[in-house]
Amino acid sequence: MNNWWKILMMAVLALAMFSPAYADKETSIGGTIFADWYYDMSDSLDQSISPNNLDAYNTFGISRAYLTGKGKLSDKTWGKITLDVNPANAYMRLKYAYIQWKFYTQPQFDLSMKFGLQGTPWIDEMNAVWGRRYLEKTPTDQLEMETSSDFGLGFVSNLGEKGKWGTANLAIFNGTSYSAPGDNNNAKDINLAVFLNPLNSNADFAKTEIGFQYYTGTLNAYDDTSMVQDDYKKTLISAMANFQYRKLAALGVEYDAYTSPQYLDGGGIWADTSDNKATAMAIFGTLWFADLAKGNKMLETTDLFFRYSTFDPDGDDHDLGGGVLNEMKYTEMIIGVECVPVKGFSTSLNYRSTKITDLPTP
């Protein structure tokens, strides 16, 4: 409990840096709450949700809450601090804490530098495109192919006036995570992510987007008694496309391929190297009723959505004991109706189904 208060006081003091000295400038404090009701209709319950194996499990909860402070220090410099609270696991920690400086500005191109604990560009953008982080993470985050926030130095460029043509990101990260920030080796990760709006000149398709990511680095583990750093190399390649017509309909796809000679699973067990690639693909779409139901206040703020995902994690990192290694693949479907009565508030009633295939490796 003492650690809670230490982290909270650090966050409050850091937020206070932005307000008194810059009271005449733009400062804000806000937050995000992920509240949910969960009803399980399967025969057995995922142990990550409850330690008990209960049929028809029924619970209300708050999975996550963020407290965020933003401060504009000058016309070209600003900062952001976010405190991440997880009630279920009873912890608080910093999610973001960085300064951003726009040091080059031209009508069709600008360049900013971000320093500190910052979001990784791909997950940030895919959360925005998917639009429902409060329901489920984007695949790279869900499978822990990369972290959603890390310590590092990043460069961000808006392409075209006010980013009309898209954005480009280049970052150097520790290769750790905001949830486990200890750096266990001297290697650094390199991340390049580019997002383009190729149809921005057409107002009907201005939100259509394509993107690409290349991430390379080293797993945050190093045992110099038996291996060298090259044994810990990792590479992630991602691609996405989201086709949107007005605020009427959108259909998107994301594909991710992660490779590492030694894939470290969640339990800290080194994997067999015969299967060293994890892949994921997600297809998602939205149908908005705003243009179809003008005059109907409820339907104007309502949409239908779905996401179908296929995951093939590194197959040989599931050691069942006695040297028995299993290949595990699974698919997930989420279908629902969402209501957004005001900006910043979303609520959804959705159904999800997961199918797991666990076959012995020959």
Side-chain angles (χ1 to χ4, degrees), residues 11 14 19 25 34 52 65 75 95 98 121 126 142 159 162 172-173 227 257 277 295-296 306 312:
S19 49
K25 303 184 184 299
F34 296 161
N52 302 312
D75 289 340
K95 177 73 182 271
Y98 65 84
M126 289 311 302
Q142 191 174 2
L159 308 177
K162 295 182 179 180
I172 303 171
F173 292 124
M227 295 182 178
K277 179 179 288 186
N296 187 314
F306 81 94
D312 179 13

Side-chain angles (χ1 to χ4, degrees), residues 35 58 107 131 152 164 194 201 275 280 286 289 313 315 349 356 360:
N58 182 349
K164 180 179 180 181
V194 179
S201 58
D275 181 0
T286 305
F289 293 122
L349 180 64
I356 299 176

Side-chain angles (χ1 to χ4, degrees), residues 286-319:
T286 305
L287 175 64
W288 291 276
F289 293 122
D291 288 344
L292 300 176
K294 290 182 178 179
N296 187 314
K297 297 298 183 182
M298 184 180 72
L299 289 180
E300 281 184 347
T301 61
T302 301
D303 62 75
L304 298 177
F305 67 89
F306 81 94
R307 189 176 87 172
Y308 176 77
S309 306
T310 62
F311 303 125
D312 179 13
D314 185 344
D316 294 343
D317 68 346
H318 306 286
D319 194 336

Side-chain angles (χ1 to χ4, degrees), residues 135-172:
L135 295 182
E136 190 55 87
K137 298 177 180 179
T138 193
T140 51
D141 193 9
Q142 191 174 2
L143 286 184
E144 298 183 0
M145 294 178 173
E146 64 178 316
T147 179
S148 59
S149 179
D150 197 357
F151 291 92
L153 174 66
F155 296 91
V156 184
S157 174
N158 287 313
L159 308 177
E161 187 177 2
K162 295 182 179 180
K164 180 179 180 181
W165 288 99
T167 60
N169 304 265
L170 177 64
I172 303 171

Side-chain angles (χ1 to χ4, degrees), residues 100-122:
Q100 185 164 348
W101 171 39
K102 184 178 290 188
F103 61 89
Y104 182 81
T105 304
Q106 291 294 326
Q108 299 299 320
F109 176 81
D110 62 49
L111 192 59
S112 298
M113 180 180 70
K114 298 171 71 173
F115 183 76
L117 181 59
Q118 58 193 275
T120 47
W122 185 263

